Amino acid sequence: MALYYKCYRVYNLDDPRAVCWTTKEAQNENFKEAAKIFEDKKPSLLDVGCGLGAFYDWLIANNYKPNYHGIDLLANFVEECKKRNLNVEAKTALKVEKEYDYILALGTFHYTTYEFEDPTDQITKIYKHLFSKARKAFVFTLLHKNKESLHTYTREQLDLILQGTDAENVEVNKIQGGDQFIIYLSKE
């Protein structure tokens, strides 16, 4: 969490680095890949670890009209989103009770889990809870390769995390030049 506060204090709010994204292009690639799961342009969605609401902005810029809800742990991010009248609240992923068509956690596990020696159990617990609250699908990303000393995962480790999932369909792709996995867990 300290890393997010540092990024927030160092960079301008319109800079993706303010929420620890490396570049605007990387952020947009993640958003574009994640949006492929939507069946229409009016998805009901929860953005877990929403930061400053950049995914909402991307959706609007790309002609989506989402029923958008975001959650984040950082009060500063939530406060900035509320200034823009976004439907965002301070909440942990495990406290999500409401159901949404789609739940997304893009970049959420990159930095929030690096405090754990082995965050695999924590990620599994969180994604299973969030998947149970998604009516159609849950999408999340994990790092595969990285220049920083954050947790990265091999495909074999990812398969262990996904073991026992209740998803009807599981799709795993590499994005960011192979540096990340994007995982789609669908109920249909």
Side-chain angles (χ1 to χ4, degrees):
M1 300 305 296
L3 183 58
Y4 281 109
Y5 278 116
K6 179 183 175 188
C7 290
Y8 173 77
R9 287 191 313 269
V10 171
Y11 297 102
N12 293 327
L13 296 182
D14 61 348
D15 187 328
R17 295 175 296 175
V19 289
C20 299
W21 286 95
T22 54
T23 65
K24 186 73 167 171
E25 292 77 21
Q27 187 182 50
N28 286 339
E29 181 183 344
N30 272 261
F31 296 162
K32 183 179 179 182
E33 288 296 320
K36 288 179 180 178
I37 196 79
F38 301 148
E39 295 172 352
D40 60 46
K41 291 282 192 172
K42 296 180 180 181
S44 155
L45 68 97
L46 174 65
D47 184 1
V48 178
C50 66
L52 297 168
F55 186 46
Y56 175 83
D57 296 337
W58 184 92
L59 290 166
I60 296 302
N62 286 276
N63 301 313
Y64 287 87
K65 295 183 180 358
N67 177 0
Y68 179 89
H69 188 92
I71 61 171
D72 206 289
L73 294 177
L74 276 74
N76 301 65
F77 291 170
V78 172
E79 183 179 313
E80 293 296 336
C81 286
K82 288 186 180 239
K83 287 178 187 176
R84 297 176 47 219
N85 294 317
L86 294 180
N87 186 10
V88 174
E89 64 182 310
K91 183 185 281 192
T92 69
L94 292 172
K95 298 285 184 185
V96 171
E97 295 176 4
K98 185 178 173 189
E99 289 187 353
Y100 300 85
D101 289 341
Y102 303 96
I103 299 179
L104 297 95
L106 307 175
T108 306
F109 298 126
H110 298 0
Y111 297 97
T112 55
T113 57
Y114 79 100
E115 298 149 350
F116 298 100
E117 186 174 322
D118 180 8
T120 303
D121 289 341
Q122 187 71 9
I123 289 170
T124 302
K125 182 178 178 179
I126 293 169
Y127 100 72
K128 285 186 175 188
H129 174 72
L130 292 173
F131 182 70
S132 76
K133 300 300 179 183
R135 288 187 288 264
K136 295 183 179 182
F138 173 58
V139 179
F140 67 106
T141 56
L142 290 176
L143 293 174
H144 177 55
K145 299 177 196 170
N146 184 329
K147 295 178 184 147
E148 300 176 43
S149 59
L150 302 176
H151 285 289
T152 59
Y153 298 87
T154 64
R155 178 58 201 243
E156 293 76 22
Q157 289 170 312
L158 178 57
D159 289 342
L160 286 174
I161 290 171
L162 296 174
Q163 203 170 43
T165 182
D166 293 333
E168 287 290 321
N169 296 302
V170 177
E171 182 181 336
V172 177
N173 294 321
K174 287 185 182 176
I175 57 174
Q176 302 289 317
D179 289 350
Q180 286 187 51
F181 291 113
I182 187 163
I183 302 98
Y184 305 88
L185 303 176
S186 303
K187 294 190 174 181
E188 303 171 346

